[in-house]
Amino acid sequence: MLVRCSRSEVGVRGFGELEAAIMDRLWVRNASATVREVHSDLLPDRDIAYNTVLTVVDNLYKKGWLRREREGRAHRYQPTRSREEYGALLMRDALDEAGDPAEALVRFIGRMSADEAAALRQALQAHERSDAK
């Protein structure tokens, strides 16, 4: 399901390093998680304090990237958007920032692999079919 949102609804600019790591863990889990579970997931790759993870998760919640539900004394967090939606929002942001969006697209397409270009063609065809309905 595509979630359409205005730029004022969710800031896009791109996650910081720890925000990205936390979102990655939650996307990979594909289920809600407590801060303690996210902290445990991060520990093999980095020595990080629980309170740091708690602060960043809370920031992501306040920015609208996570939803939460109470479970006992803790909260369980889950992304409000998929990784693919996040990527699409970043691309939209990049086009909005480009001086010439058409030229930016030409340069972007020029850096695509053949498989990526084929996927883009399929996506455009699917988009055109959905607009025709």
Side-chain angles (χ1 to χ4, degrees), residues 17-120:
E17 181 189 356
L18 185 53
E19 288 176 325
I22 289 169
M23 291 300 294
D24 180 63
R25 296 316 192 279
L26 289 167
W27 281 321
V28 167
R29 270 180 174 270
N30 200 26
S32 64
T34 64
V35 172
R36 185 149 318 278
E37 291 168 336
V38 173
H39 179 251
S40 294
D41 287 351
L42 292 168
L43 280 178
D45 299 326
R46 58 179 79 209
D47 182 24
I48 188 164
Y50 172 87
N51 284 342
T52 302
V53 177
L54 176 64
T55 298
V56 175
V57 167
D58 189 56
N59 289 342
L60 287 165
Y61 168 74
K62 288 175 181 173
K63 290 177 182 180
W65 287 104
L66 298 175
R67 70 175 60 92
R68 71 182 180 195
E69 59 185 53
R70 185 163 286 287
E71 182 178 274
R73 290 177 41 193
H75 285 99
R76 296 194 71 78
Y77 292 87
Q78 190 167 15
T80 58
R81 288 167 180 74
S82 69
R83 184 189 305 266
E84 293 76 18
E85 288 170 312
Y86 173 66
L89 289 168
L90 285 175
M91 288 187 276
R92 176 73 264 161
D93 226 23
L95 283 176
D96 289 345
E97 295 297 322
D100 182 348
E103 180 63 21
L105 281 170
V106 168
R107 290 176 183 264
F108 178 69
I109 292 166
R111 294 173 185 239
M112 288 182 162
S113 69
D115 288 344
E116 290 168 335
L120 177 60

